[in-house]
Amino acid sequence: MSRKTPELLAPAGSLAMLDTALGFGASAIYAGQPRYSLRVRNNDFGDLPVLADGIQRAHSQGKQFYVVANIYPHGAKIKTFLKDMAPVVALKPDALIMSDPGLILMIRETWPEMPVHLSVQANTVNAAAVRFWKMAGISRVILSRELSLDEIASIRQDCPDTELEVFIHGALCVAYSGRCLLSGYFNHRDPNQGTCTNSCRWEFKTHAAGTAPTGDVYLLEEPQKRAGEYMPIEEDEHGTYILNSKDLRAIEHVQRLTEIGIDSFKIEGRTKSPYYVARTCQAYRQAIDDAMAGRGLNPELLGQLEGLANRGYTDGFYQRHTPHELQNYLRGHSESGRSIYVADVQARDSASGLTRLSSRNAFGVGDRLELIAPQGNQVFVIEPGTLLGKDKTPVDRIPGSDHEAWLPLPEGMEGAFVARFL
């Protein structure tokens, strides 16, 4: 019996991200309504014409578009919800991603034909809960990140008629399935209302502050924007943990999850860059296609994902008894392992045969670069005399970001990205 190819579900905070994700292999897009989803910042889809355009672009390519409305709202938002969602539903997205039972009930009563996917925020961790949500009219359940591969397989076996979705890549919160209170406590911006400030990832300094029966007490300071504000934290015989998880990278588990019969693989990152979504979609697209063809994981894909800014990688809870080295207690900074994003490919000048680039990081003559495009990647070295500056005269180096450069690249590379091997 042949298996159905899993959906590759990519994030979008803008139309540029949407176009990039679809171009690099995504089969579906998810984007949020700022007032009712957990991503308020870097989100262009609160503008209805932009949302309409995004849905149309996805559908024109035979792809799916899901709208996220997954907050747990207070009463004020309940009063405006149906009025605000009416024009959204009229645009005919393929599903709404939701978590609050009250909002789900309101949608089911008002638009019973509208498919609803249950958000990971609902913390679904067992087959009985999946069956409950199916009875409530949910067509797909996004399983909790806290499940192991064997637990996911058991739920799939017990619930063969419900679509199941899992996260395979992106940032991990230190709270249970993202139900975090840190940002609200520190600066009154509630993560559960979509305004998280990523407090767990601030650059903390410690100051000694005496002793306590349970061990030493230290004061934490975030010096960049909150100098002089001190927060107590205790250290015991196990150490001091400052709440900074490694990022999820589960590409090594794509084959097993495909064999289990998962319907959708989800990439986190609606506030990330088009480069991020290009790299992740391209890598996971190949991993899914290889798994469906019976091929094992190509280890080069691990290196490609190392090239993204990350806090170190973990496969999360997919495997139990993860060694302590995989917890990000010591290295909370972003890492770039294999390559670094250096430029966006823009327009080609047919008269000169040169292509204009806009820099994101420095690169220069002698660098080994990778051209990352939907039609396939190419590796080349910048030869002397071929790198031109804004005025099209030869230069040895392009500094920093937002500098114009010209290179002789193949035709049809507009919208591609350039990375420099480290």
Side-chain angles (χ1 to χ4, degrees):
M1 180 178 175
S2 61
R3 296 193 304 269
K4 177 184 174 183
T5 301
E7 173 185 88
L8 178 59
L9 179 55
S14 66
L15 291 174
M17 277 187 73
L18 179 147
D19 289 338
T20 301
L22 295 179
F24 279 85
S27 42
I29 297 294
Y30 68 100
Q33 278 290 284
R35 180 169 168 81
Y36 300 104
S37 79
L38 299 186
R39 292 295 183 273
V40 170
R41 63 189 178 91
N42 299 342
N43 186 349
D44 294 343
F45 290 101
D47 186 344
L48 279 174
V50 174
L51 181 61
D53 192 0
I55 293 172
Q56 190 278 327
R57 291 188 194 194
H59 287 174
S60 69
Q61 298 183 44
K63 308 296 178 69
Q64 309 291 297
F65 190 110
Y66 309 135
V67 172
V68 185
N70 64 342
I71 65 163
Y72 286 96
H74 292 209
K77 290 185 178 179
I78 289 285
K79 296 174 182 177
T80 61
F81 181 67
L82 290 178
K83 173 178 171 290
D84 290 344
M85 290 303 293
V88 174
V89 173
L91 297 176
K92 299 189 182 304
D94 296 282
L96 301 179
I97 300 175
M98 307 181 68
S99 55
D100 182 75
L103 294 188
I104 291 172
L105 177 63
M106 294 168 73
I107 290 291
R108 301 295 301 148
E109 289 177 339
T110 309
W111 299 286
E113 73 289 349
M114 185 74 243
V116 175
H117 296 175
L118 188 70
S119 170
V120 71
Q121 294 292 120
N123 309 139
T124 305
V125 294
N126 60 68
V130 173
R131 290 196 295 270
F132 167 83
W133 287 111
K134 182 175 179 169
M135 289 174 57
I138 297 296
S139 59
R140 176 187 295 183
V141 172
I142 305 169
L143 295 175
S144 171
R145 292 184 177 99
E146 286 74 26
L147 293 174
S148 70
L149 291 166
D150 290 342
E151 289 172 321
I152 292 169
S154 177
I155 292 173
R156 172 78 290 168
Q157 185 171 357
D158 291 343
C159 304
D161 299 327
T162 303
E163 290 188 5
L164 299 178
E165 178 178 310
V166 298
F167 277 86
I168 53 169
H169 196 94
L172 289 173
C173 293
V174 293
Y176 193 82
S177 278
R179 292 192 181 189
C180 180
L181 299 174
L182 284 177
S183 179
Y185 173 77
F186 286 152
N187 51 15
H188 309 293
R189 289 179 59 179
D190 188 349
N192 302 298
Q193 299 298 313
T195 55
C196 181
T197 56
N198 300 121
S199 305
C200 60
R201 297 165 195 157
W202 291 348
E203 182 183 344
F204 290 103
K205 292 174 63 177
T206 58
H207 304 272
T211 59
T214 55
D216 294 334
V217 175
Y218 290 86
L219 297 177
L220 285 183
E221 179 190 21
E222 197 280 305
Q224 291 186 343
K225 296 182 179 178
R226 298 162 186 84
E229 296 181 22
Y230 300 99
M231 297 166 284
I233 185 169
E234 294 185 2
E235 179 177 280
D236 60 20
E237 67 274 16
H238 301 296
T240 303
Y241 310 115
I242 312 183
L243 306 172
N244 194 353
S245 171
K246 287 190 173 186
D247 292 341
L248 175 66
R249 182 189 64 194
I251 197 166
E252 62 267 39
H253 300 307
V254 164
Q255 186 168 15
R256 173 81 191 280
L257 289 165
T258 300
E259 292 167 353
I260 288 170
I262 295 303
D263 296 280
S264 181
F265 294 159
K266 188 172 199 170
I267 297 168
E268 183 276 338
R270 279 183 277 158
T271 61
K272 299 289 183 66
S273 69
Y275 177 72
Y276 168 89
V277 82
R279 272 299 205 193
T280 52
C281 285
Q282 188 178 62
Y284 282 94
R285 175 79 274 150
Q286 182 178 337
I288 292 170
D289 292 345
D290 286 346
M292 293 301 296
R295 297 186 293 267
L297 175 67
N298 181 350
E300 291 182 3
L301 300 179
L302 296 171
Q304 291 176 16
L305 294 172
E306 283 290 345
L308 294 171
N310 64 82
R311 298 175 182 86
Y313 283 124
T314 174
D315 61 352
F317 293 87
Y318 282 122
Q319 296 183 100
R320 295 302 192 193
H321 309 299
T322 302
H324 67 86
E325 289 84 1
L326 291 184
Q327 301 302 320
N328 197 19
Y329 299 142
L330 300 178
R331 303 181 69 182
H333 59 282
S334 293
E335 298 178 314
S336 292
R338 178 171 178 260
S339 62
I340 185 171
Y341 171 36
V342 295
D344 296 323
V345 179
Q346 303 201 314
R348 191 170 192 270
D349 179 8
S350 56
S352 65
L354 296 172
T355 299
R356 187 176 75 248
L357 282 68
S358 176
S359 71
R360 293 291 173 263
N361 285 288
F363 62 99
V365 171
D367 285 342
R368 183 167 168 257
L369 302 183
E370 183 176 21
L371 185 62
I372 303 150
Q375 56 268 47
N377 297 354
Q378 301 179 40
V379 175
F380 64 99
V381 175
I382 302 180
E383 301 294 341
T386 62
L387 178 62
L388 309 182
K390 182 177 181 180
D391 59 359
K392 294 188 180 179
T393 59
V395 295
D396 290 331
R397 195 146 191 85
I398 299 296
S401 62
D402 295 325
H403 289 269
E404 187 175 308
W406 294 84
L407 274 173
L409 298 180
E411 292 186 42
M413 291 294 114
E414 292 84 357
F417 304 92
V418 180
R420 173 171 57 83
F421 286 97
L422 301 178

